Coordinates of all heavy atoms in Angstrom, one line a residue:
M11 N 74.2 97.6 61.9 CA 75.5 98.0 62.6 C 75.3 98.1 64.1 O 76.1 97.6 64.8 CB 75.8 99.4 62.0 CG 77.2 100.0 62.5 SD 78.5 98.8 62.1 CE 79.9 99.5 63.0
K12 N 74.1 98.7 64.6 CA 73.9 98.8 66.0 C 73.8 97.4 66.6 O 74.2 97.2 67.7 CB 72.5 99.5 66.2 CG 72.7 101.0 66.6 CD 71.5 101.6 67.0 CE 71.6 103.1 67.1 NZ 70.4 103.8 67.1
R13 N 73.2 96.4 65.9 CA 73.0 95.1 66.4 C 74.4 94.4 66.6 O 74.5 93.6 67.5 CB 72.2 94.2 65.4 CG 70.8 93.9 66.0 CD 70.1 93.0 65.0 NE 68.9 93.7 64.6 CZ 68.2 93.3 63.5 NH1 68.7 92.4 62.8 NH2 67.1 94.0 63.2
L14 N 75.3 94.7 65.9 CA 76.7 94.2 66.0 C 77.5 94.8 67.1 O 78.2 94.2 67.8 CB 77.4 94.3 64.6 CG 78.7 93.7 64.6 CD1 78.6 92.1 64.4 CD2 79.5 94.2 63.4
L15 N 77.2 96.2 67.2 CA 78.1 97.0 68.2 C 77.8 96.5 69.6 O 78.8 96.4 70.4 CB 77.7 98.4 67.9 CG 78.8 99.4 68.3 CD1 80.0 99.1 67.5 CD2 78.4 100.8 68.2
L16 N 76.5 96.3 70.0 CA 76.2 96.1 71.4 C 76.8 94.8 71.9 O 77.5 94.8 72.9 CB 74.7 96.1 71.6 CG 74.3 96.4 73.0 CD1 74.8 97.8 73.5 CD2 72.8 96.3 73.2
P17 N 76.6 93.7 71.3 CA 77.3 92.5 71.7 C 78.8 92.6 71.8 O 79.5 92.0 72.6 CB 76.9 91.4 70.8 CG 75.7 91.9 70.0 CD 75.8 93.4 70.0
L18 N 79.3 93.3 70.8 CA 80.8 93.5 70.7 C 81.2 94.3 72.0 O 82.2 94.0 72.6 CB 81.0 94.3 69.5 CG 82.4 94.0 68.8 CD1 82.4 92.6 68.2 CD2 82.8 95.1 67.8
L19 N 80.5 95.3 72.4 CA 80.8 96.1 73.5 C 80.8 95.2 74.8 O 81.7 95.3 75.6 CB 79.8 97.2 73.7 CG 80.1 98.6 73.1 CD1 79.0 99.6 73.4 CD2 81.4 99.1 73.7
F20 N 79.8 94.3 74.9 CA 79.7 93.5 76.1 C 80.9 92.5 76.1 O 81.5 92.2 77.1 CB 78.4 92.7 76.1 CG 77.3 93.5 76.8 CD1 76.3 94.0 76.0 CD2 77.4 93.8 78.1 CE1 75.3 94.8 76.6 CE2 76.4 94.5 78.7 CZ 75.3 95.0 77.9
A21 N 81.2 92.0 74.9 CA 82.3 91.0 74.8 C 83.7 91.7 75.3 O 84.4 91.0 75.9 CB 82.5 90.6 73.4
V22 N 83.8 92.9 75.0 CA 85.0 93.6 75.4 C 85.0 94.1 76.9 O 85.9 93.9 77.6 CB 85.3 94.9 74.5 CG1 86.5 95.6 75.0 CG2 85.5 94.5 73.0
A23 N 83.8 94.5 77.3 CA 83.7 95.2 78.7 C 83.5 94.1 79.8 O 84.1 94.2 80.8 CB 82.5 96.1 78.7
L24 N 82.8 93.0 79.5 CA 82.5 92.1 80.6 C 83.7 91.4 81.1 O 83.9 91.3 82.4 CB 81.4 91.1 80.2 CG 80.0 91.7 80.4 CD1 79.0 90.6 80.0 CD2 79.8 92.1 81.8
P25 N 84.6 90.8 80.3 CA 85.7 90.0 80.8 C 86.6 90.9 81.7 O 87.1 90.5 82.7 CB 86.5 89.5 79.6 CG 85.4 89.5 78.5 CD 84.5 90.6 78.8
A26 N 86.8 92.1 81.2 CA 87.7 93.0 82.0 C 87.1 93.3 83.3 O 87.8 93.3 84.3 CB 87.9 94.3 81.2
G27 N 85.8 93.5 83.4 CA 85.1 93.9 84.6 C 85.1 92.7 85.6 O 85.0 92.8 86.8
A28 N 85.1 91.5 85.0 CA 85.0 90.2 85.8 C 86.4 89.8 86.5 O 86.3 88.9 87.3 CB 84.4 89.1 85.0
V29 N 87.4 90.5 86.1 CA 88.7 90.1 86.6 C 88.7 90.3 88.1 O 88.4 91.4 88.6 CB 89.8 90.8 85.9 CG1 91.2 90.6 86.6 CG2 89.9 90.4 84.4
E30 N 89.1 89.3 88.9 CA 89.2 89.5 90.3 C 90.4 90.4 90.8 O 91.5 90.2 90.2 CB 89.2 88.1 91.0 CG 88.9 88.2 92.4 CD 89.2 86.8 93.1 OE1 89.3 85.8 92.4 OE2 89.4 86.9 94.3
D31 N 90.2 91.3 91.7 CA 91.3 92.1 92.2 C 92.0 91.3 93.3 O 91.5 91.1 94.4 CB 90.7 93.4 92.7 CG 91.9 94.4 93.0 OD1 93.0 94.0 93.0 OD2 91.5 95.6 93.2
T32 N 93.2 90.8 93.0 CA 93.9 89.9 93.9 C 95.0 90.8 94.7 O 95.7 90.2 95.5 CB 94.6 88.8 93.2 OG1 95.4 89.3 92.2 CG2 93.5 87.8 92.6
R33 N 95.0 92.1 94.4 CA 96.0 92.9 95.1 C 95.8 92.9 96.6 O 94.6 92.9 97.0 CB 96.1 94.3 94.6 CG 96.6 94.4 93.1 CD 96.4 95.8 92.6 NE 95.0 96.2 92.7 CZ 94.6 97.5 92.5 NH1 95.5 98.4 92.4 NH2 93.3 97.8 92.7
Q34 N 96.8 93.0 97.4 CA 96.7 93.1 98.8 C 96.3 94.5 99.2 O 96.9 95.5 98.7 CB 98.0 92.8 99.5 CG 97.8 92.7 101.1 CD 99.1 92.3 101.7 OE1 99.9 91.6 101.2 NE2 99.3 92.8 103.0
F35 N 95.2 94.6 100.0 CA 94.7 96.0 100.4 C 95.5 96.5 101.6 O 95.7 95.8 102.6 CB 93.3 95.9 100.8 CG 92.7 97.2 101.3 CD1 92.6 98.3 100.5 CD2 92.3 97.3 102.7 CE1 92.2 99.5 101.0 CE2 91.7 98.4 103.2 CZ 91.7 99.6 102.3
V36 N 96.1 97.6 101.5 CA 96.9 98.2 102.5 C 96.1 99.4 103.1 O 95.9 100.4 102.4 CB 98.3 98.7 102.0 CG1 99.1 99.3 103.1 CG2 99.0 97.6 101.4
Q37 N 95.7 99.3 104.3 CA 94.9 100.4 104.9 C 95.8 101.4 105.5 O 96.7 101.1 106.3 CB 94.0 99.8 106.0 CG 92.8 100.8 106.3 CD 91.8 100.2 107.2 OE1 92.0 99.1 107.7 NE2 90.6 100.8 107.3
M38 N 95.6 102.7 105.1 CA 96.5 103.7 105.7 C 95.6 105.0 105.9 O 94.7 105.3 105.1 CB 97.7 104.0 104.8 CG 97.4 104.2 103.3 SD 98.9 104.8 102.4 CE 99.9 103.3 102.5
P39 N 96.0 105.8 106.9 CA 95.3 107.0 107.2 C 95.4 108.0 106.0 O 96.4 108.0 105.2 CB 95.9 107.6 108.4 CG 97.1 106.8 108.7 CD 97.0 105.6 107.8
A40 N 94.4 108.9 105.8 CA 94.4 109.8 104.6 C 95.8 110.6 104.5 O 96.2 110.7 103.4 CB 93.3 110.8 104.8
P41 N 96.3 111.1 105.6 CA 97.6 111.8 105.4 C 98.7 110.9 104.8 O 99.5 111.4 103.9 CB 98.0 112.3 106.8 CG 96.8 112.3 107.6 CD 95.9 111.2 107.0
A42 N 98.8 109.7 105.3 CA 99.9 108.8 104.7 C 99.6 108.6 103.3 O 100.5 108.4 102.4 CB 99.9 107.5 105.5
Q43 N 98.3 108.4 102.9 CA 97.9 108.2 101.6 C 98.3 109.4 100.7 O 98.7 109.1 99.5 CB 96.4 107.9 101.5 CG 96.0 107.0 100.3 CD 94.6 106.5 100.5 OE1 93.9 106.8 101.5 NE2 94.2 105.8 99.5
A44 N 98.2 110.6 101.2 CA 98.6 111.8 100.5 C 100.0 111.8 100.3 O 100.5 112.2 99.2 CB 98.1 113.0 101.2
V45 N 100.8 111.4 101.2 CA 102.3 111.3 101.1 C 102.7 110.3 100.0 O 103.5 110.6 99.1 CB 102.9 111.0 102.5 CG1 104.4 110.6 102.3 CG2 102.8 112.1 103.4
L46 N 102.0 109.1 100.1 CA 102.2 108.0 99.1 C 102.0 108.6 97.7 O 102.8 108.4 96.8 CB 101.4 106.8 99.4 CG 101.5 105.7 98.4 CD1 102.7 104.9 98.7 CD2 100.3 104.8 98.3
R47 N 100.9 109.4 97.6 CA 100.5 109.9 96.3 C 101.6 110.8 95.8 O 101.9 110.8 94.6 CB 99.1 110.6 96.4 CG 98.6 110.9 95.1 CD 97.1 111.1 95.0 NE 96.8 111.3 93.6 CZ 96.2 112.4 93.2 NH1 95.7 113.3 94.0 NH2 96.0 112.6 91.9
A48 N 102.1 111.7 96.7 CA 103.1 112.7 96.3 C 104.3 111.9 95.8 O 105.0 112.3 94.8 CB 103.4 113.6 97.4
E49 N 104.7 110.8 96.6 CA 105.9 110.0 96.2 C 105.7 109.4 94.8 O 106.6 109.3 94.1 CB 106.1 108.9 97.2 CG 106.8 109.4 98.5 CD 106.9 108.4 99.6 OE1 106.5 107.2 99.3 OE2 107.5 108.7 100.6
M50 N 104.4 109.0 94.6 CA 104.1 108.4 93.3 C 104.3 109.4 92.1 O 104.7 109.0 91.0 CB 102.8 107.7 93.2 CG 102.7 106.5 94.1 SD 103.9 105.3 93.5 CE 104.4 104.7 95.1
V51 N 104.0 110.6 92.4 CA 104.2 111.6 91.3 C 105.6 111.8 91.1 O 106.0 111.9 89.9 CB 103.4 112.9 91.8 CG1 103.8 114.1 90.8 CG2 101.9 112.8 91.9
D52 N 106.4 111.8 92.2 CA 107.9 111.8 92.0 C 108.4 110.6 91.2 O 109.3 110.7 90.4 CB 108.6 111.8 93.4 CG 108.4 113.2 94.1 OD1 108.0 114.2 93.4 OD2 108.7 113.2 95.3
M53 N 107.7 109.5 91.4 CA 108.1 108.2 90.7 C 108.0 108.5 89.2 O 108.7 108.0 88.4 CB 107.2 107.1 91.1 CG 107.5 106.6 92.5 SD 108.9 105.5 92.5 CE 108.5 104.5 93.9
L54 N 106.9 109.3 88.9 CA 106.7 109.5 87.4 C 107.9 110.3 86.8 O 108.3 110.0 85.7 CB 105.4 110.3 87.2 CG 104.1 109.5 87.4 CD1 102.9 110.4 87.3 CD2 104.0 108.4 86.4
V55 N 108.5 111.2 87.6 CA 109.6 111.9 87.2 C 110.8 110.9 87.0 O 111.6 111.0 86.0 CB 110.0 113.1 88.2 CG1 111.3 113.7 87.8 CG2 108.9 114.0 88.4
V56 N 111.0 110.0 88.0 CA 112.1 109.1 87.9 C 111.9 108.2 86.6 O 112.9 108.0 85.9 CB 112.0 108.1 89.1 CG1 113.0 106.9 89.0 CG2 112.3 108.8 90.4
L57 N 110.6 107.9 86.3 CA 110.3 107.1 85.1 C 110.8 107.9 83.9 O 111.3 107.3 83.0 CB 108.8 106.8 85.1 CG 108.3 105.9 84.0 CD1 109.0 104.5 84.1 CD2 106.8 105.8 84.0
H58 N 110.6 109.2 83.9 CA 111.0 110.0 82.7 C 112.5 110.0 82.6 O 113.1 109.9 81.5 CB 110.6 111.5 82.9 CG 109.0 111.6 82.9 ND1 108.4 112.6 83.6 CD2 108.1 110.9 82.3 CE1 107.1 112.4 83.5 NE2 106.9 111.3 82.7
D59 N 113.3 110.0 83.7 CA 114.7 109.9 83.7 C 115.2 108.6 83.2 O 116.0 108.5 82.3 CB 115.3 110.1 85.1 CG 115.2 111.5 85.6 OD1 114.9 112.4 84.7 OD2 115.3 111.9 86.8
A60 N 114.5 107.5 83.7 CA 114.9 106.2 83.2 C 114.5 106.1 81.8 O 115.2 105.4 81.0 CB 114.0 105.1 84.0
G61 N 113.5 106.8 81.4 CA 113.0 106.7 80.0 C 114.1 107.3 79.1 O 114.4 106.9 78.0
S62 N 114.6 108.4 79.5 CA 115.7 109.1 78.7 C 116.9 108.2 78.6 O 117.6 108.2 77.6 CB 115.9 110.5 79.1 OG 116.2 110.6 80.5
E63 N 117.2 107.6 79.8 CA 118.4 106.7 79.8 C 118.2 105.5 78.7 O 119.0 105.2 78.0 CB 118.5 106.0 81.1 CG 119.9 105.2 81.3 CD 119.9 104.4 82.6 OE1 119.3 104.9 83.6 OE2 120.4 103.3 82.6
F64 N 116.9 105.0 78.7 CA 116.6 104.0 77.8 C 116.7 104.5 76.3 O 117.2 103.8 75.5 CB 115.2 103.5 78.1 CG 114.7 102.5 77.0 CD1 115.2 101.2 77.0 CD2 113.8 102.9 76.0 CE1 114.7 100.3 76.0 CE2 113.3 102.0 75.1 CZ 113.8 100.8 75.0
A65 N 116.2 105.7 76.1 CA 116.2 106.3 74.8 C 117.7 106.5 74.3 O 118.0 106.2 73.1 CB 115.5 107.7 74.8
T66 N 118.5 106.8 75.3 CA 119.9 107.0 74.8 C 120.5 105.6 74.4 O 121.2 105.6 73.4 CB 120.8 107.5 76.1 OG1 120.1 108.6 76.6 CG2 122.2 107.9 75.7
I67 N 120.2 104.6 75.2 CA 120.7 103.2 74.8 C 120.1 102.8 73.5 O 120.7 102.3 72.6 CB 120.4 102.2 75.9 CG1 121.1 102.6 77.2 CG2 120.8 100.8 75.5 CD1 120.7 101.8 78.4
A68 N 118.8 103.1 73.3 CA 118.1 102.6 72.2 C 118.6 103.3 70.9 O 118.7 102.6 69.8 CB 116.6 102.9 72.2
K69 N 119.1 104.6 71.0 CA 119.5 105.3 69.9 C 120.9 104.7 69.4 O 121.2 104.9 68.2 CB 119.8 106.7 70.3 CG 118.6 107.6 70.0 CD 118.9 109.1 70.2 CE 117.7 109.8 70.8 NZ 118.1 111.0 71.5
T70 N 121.6 104.0 70.2 CA 122.9 103.4 69.8 C 122.6 102.3 68.7 O 123.5 101.8 68.0 CB 123.7 102.8 70.9 OG1 123.0 101.7 71.5 CG2 124.0 103.8 72.0
G71 N 121.3 101.7 68.7 CA 121.0 100.7 67.8 C 121.3 99.3 68.3 O 121.1 98.3 67.6
D72 N 121.9 99.2 69.5 CA 122.2 97.9 70.2 C 120.9 97.3 70.7 O 120.5 97.6 71.9 CB 123.3 98.2 71.2 CG 123.8 96.8 71.7 OD1 123.1 95.8 71.6 OD2 125.0 96.8 72.2
A73 N 120.3 96.4 69.9 CA 119.0 95.9 70.4 C 119.1 95.0 71.7 O 118.2 95.2 72.5 CB 118.4 95.0 69.3
A74 N 120.2 94.3 71.8 CA 120.3 93.5 73.0 C 120.4 94.4 74.3 O 119.8 94.0 75.3 CB 121.6 92.6 72.8
K75 N 121.2 95.4 74.2 CA 121.4 96.3 75.3 C 120.0 97.0 75.6 O 119.7 97.2 76.8 CB 122.4 97.4 75.0 CG 123.7 97.1 75.7 CD 124.6 98.3 75.5 CE 126.0 98.2 76.2 NZ 126.9 99.2 75.9
A76 N 119.4 97.4 74.6 CA 118.1 98.1 74.8 C 117.0 97.2 75.4 O 116.4 97.6 76.3 CB 117.5 98.6 73.4
L77 N 117.0 95.9 75.0 CA 116.1 95.0 75.6 C 116.3 94.7 77.0 O 115.5 94.6 77.9 CB 116.1 93.7 74.8 CG 115.2 93.6 73.5 CD1 115.3 92.2 72.9 CD2 113.7 93.8 74.0
A78 N 117.7 94.7 77.4 CA 118.1 94.5 78.7 C 117.7 95.6 79.6 O 117.4 95.5 80.8 CB 119.5 94.2 78.7
A79 N 117.7 96.8 79.1 CA 117.4 98.0 79.9 C 115.9 98.3 80.0 O 115.5 99.0 80.9 CB 118.0 99.3 79.2
L80 N 115.1 97.6 79.2 CA 113.7 97.8 79.2 C 113.0 97.5 80.5 O 112.2 98.4 80.9 CB 113.0 97.0 78.0 CG 111.7 97.5 77.6 CD1 111.7 99.0 77.2 CD2 111.2 96.6 76.4
P81 N 113.2 96.4 81.1 CA 112.5 96.1 82.4 C 112.8 97.1 83.5 O 112.0 97.3 84.4 CB 113.0 94.7 82.8 CG 113.6 94.2 81.6 CD 114.1 95.3 80.8
K82 N 114.0 97.8 83.4 CA 114.4 98.8 84.4 C 113.4 99.9 84.3 O 113.2 100.6 85.4 CB 115.8 99.3 84.0 CG 116.8 99.2 85.2 CD 118.1 99.7 84.8 CE 118.4 101.0 85.3 NZ 119.7 101.5 84.9
L83 N 112.8 100.2 83.2 CA 111.9 101.3 83.0 C 110.7 101.2 83.9 O 110.3 102.2 84.6 CB 111.6 101.3 81.5 CG 111.2 102.7 80.9 CD1 112.3 103.6 81.1 CD2 110.9 102.5 79.5
T84 N 110.0 100.1 83.9 CA 108.7 100.0 84.6 C 108.6 98.7 85.5 O 107.6 98.6 86.1 CB 107.6 99.9 83.6 OG1 107.8 98.8 82.7 CG2 107.5 101.2 82.8
G85 N 109.7 97.9 85.5 CA 109.6 96.7 86.2 C 109.2 96.8 87.7 O 108.3 96.1 88.1
Q86 N 109.8 97.7 88.4 CA 109.5 97.9 89.8 C 108.1 98.5 90.0 O 107.4 98.0 91.0 CB 110.5 98.8 90.5 CG 111.8 98.1 90.8 CD 112.8 98.9 91.6 OE1 112.8 100.1 91.5 NE2 113.6 98.4 92.4
C87 N 107.8 99.4 89.2 CA 106.4 100.0 89.2 C 105.3 98.9 89.1 O 104.4 98.8 89.9 CB 106.2 101.0 88.2 SG 107.6 102.1 87.8
V88 N 105.5 98.1 88.1 CA 104.5 97.1 87.7 C 104.4 96.1 88.9 O 103.3 95.7 89.3 CB 104.8 96.4 86.4 CG1 103.9 95.2 86.2 CG2 104.8 97.4 85.3
S89 N 105.6 95.6 89.3 CA 105.5 94.5 90.4 C 104.9 95.0 91.7 O 104.1 94.2 92.3 CB 106.9 93.9 90.6 OG 107.8 94.9 91.1
C90 N 105.1 96.2 92.0 CA 104.4 96.7 93.2 C 102.9 97.0 93.0 O 102.1 96.7 93.8 CB 105.1 98.0 93.8 SG 104.7 98.4 95.5
H91 N 102.6 97.6 91.9 CA 101.2 97.9 91.6 C 100.4 96.7 91.5 O 99.2 96.8 91.7 CB 101.2 98.8 90.3 CG 101.7 100.2 90.6 ND1 102.2 101.0 89.5 CD2 101.9 100.9 91.7 CE1 102.6 102.1 90.0 NE2 102.5 102.1 91.3
T92 N 101.0 95.6 91.0 CA 100.1 94.4 90.8 C 100.0 93.7 92.2 O 99.1 92.8 92.3 CB 100.7 93.4 89.8 OG1 102.1 93.2 90.1 CG2 100.6 94.0 88.4
A93 N 100.7 94.0 93.2 CA 100.7 93.4 94.5 C 99.9 94.2 95.5 O 99.2 93.6 96.3 CB 102.1 93.2 95.0
Y94 N 99.8 95.5 95.5 CA 99.2 96.3 96.5 C 98.2 97.3 96.0 O 98.4 97.9 94.9 CB 100.3 97.0 97.3 CG 101.3 96.1 97.9 CD1 102.6 96.0 97.5 CD2 100.9 95.4 99.1 CE1 103.5 95.2 98.0 CE2 101.8 94.5 99.7 CZ 103.1 94.4 99.1 OH 104.0 93.6 99.7
R95 N 97.3 97.6 96.8 CA 96.3 98.7 96.6 C 96.0 99.4 97.9 O 96.1 98.8 99.0 CB 95.0 98.2 95.9 CG 94.2 97.3 96.8 CD 93.1 96.7 96.0 NE 92.4 95.8 96.9 CZ 91.4 96.1 97.7 NH1 90.9 97.3 97.8 NH2 90.8 95.2 98.5
T96 N 95.6 100.7 97.8 CA 95.3 101.4 99.0 C 93.8 101.7 99.1 O 93.4 102.3 100.1 CB 96.1 102.6 99.2 OG1 95.8 103.5 98.1 CG2 97.6 102.3 99.2
R97 N 93.1 101.4 98.1 CA 91.6 101.7 98.0 C 90.9 100.7 97.2 O 91.5 100.0 96.4 CB 91.4 103.1 97.6 CG 92.0 103.4 96.2 CD 92.2 104.9 95.9 NE 93.3 105.0 95.0 CZ 93.4 105.9 94.1 NH1 92.4 106.7 93.9 NH2 94.4 105.9 93.3
Ligands
LIG19 C1 106.7 99.9 96.8 C2 105.5 99.9 96.0 C3 105.5 100.8 94.8 C4 106.4 101.0 93.8 C5 107.8 100.5 93.7 C6 105.7 101.9 92.9 N1 104.5 102.3 93.3 FE1 103.2 103.6 92.4 N2 101.8 103.2 93.8 C7 101.9 102.2 94.9 C8 100.6 102.1 95.5 C9 100.4 101.2 96.7 C10 99.7 103.0 94.9 C11 98.3 103.3 95.3 C12 97.4 102.3 94.4 C13 96.0 102.3 94.7 O1 95.7 102.2 95.9 O2 95.2 102.3 93.9 C14 100.5 103.6 93.8 C15 99.9 104.5 92.9 C16 100.6 105.1 91.9 C17 100.1 106.2 91.0 C18 98.7 106.8 91.2 C19 98.7 108.0 92.1 C20 97.4 108.7 92.1 O3 97.3 109.9 91.7 O4 96.4 108.2 92.7 C21 101.1 106.5 90.1 C22 101.0 107.6 89.0 C23 102.2 105.7 90.5 N3 101.9 104.9 91.5 C24 103.4 105.7 89.7 C25 104.5 104.8 89.9 C26 105.7 104.7 89.1 C27 105.9 105.5 87.8 C28 106.5 103.8 89.7 C29 107.9 103.3 89.2 C30 108.8 104.3 88.7 C31 105.8 103.4 90.9 N4 104.6 104.0 91.0 C32 106.4 102.5 91.7 C33 103.1 101.6 95.2 C34 104.2 101.5 94.5

């Protein structure tokens, strides 16, 4: 079992670690970074609101409408997070 587990662990861990970070680095002073972080926490609240809007649509059982509302949930978050980093 141990002999199987180790190579398996490497197979899972290595490719993930080898992925190149292509996000653009944005250098900002510590206070600005703190403000950004606070804004991001607010974003999480926005996400909960959008989540409940999505849940309301999903509850109607209209799959097409629900699918259309899905990208609204995390689309902007994902596109910005995949483009930029601050550290
Ligand atoms: C305009 C760009 C932008 C958008 C849009 C955006 N973010 Fe961020 N977010 C950032 C950046 C830049 C960071 C810092 C990432 C880093 O340096 O690792 C960040 C970090 C975060 C963090 C980590 C904060 C911490 O404690 O370190 C959370 C949580 C987060 N974002 C949530 C969200 C959510 C949820 C949304 C969408 C509702 C969102 N963000 C949309 C730019 C954005």
Side-chain angles (χ1 to χ4, degrees):
M11 187 61 192
K12 259 188 191 162
R13 247 184 243 160
L14 185 74
L15 206 64
L16 202 61
L18 210 72
L19 266 177
F20 275 109
V22 173
L24 276 183
V29 171
E30 197 192 337
D31 191 346
T32 54
R33 293 173 302 167
Q34 186 179 332
F35 176 63
V36 181
Q37 196 168 17
M38 51 171 68
Q43 210 165 355
V45 169
L46 177 82
R47 189 158 182 235
E49 280 176 4
M50 286 304 141
V51 173
D52 287 345
M53 291 280 211
L54 285 176
V55 177
V56 172
L57 187 62
H58 299 149
D59 288 347
S62 51
E63 187 191 327
F64 173 75
T66 308
I67 297 171
K69 269 189 214 156
T70 66
D72 189 334
K75 255 192 183 171
L77 273 179
L80 200 55
K82 233 178 104 181
L83 208 56
T84 55
Q86 285 187 327
C87 321
V88 172
S89 61
C90 196
H91 291 158
T92 52
Y94 302 104
R95 65 186 175 90
T96 60
R97 57 200 149 142

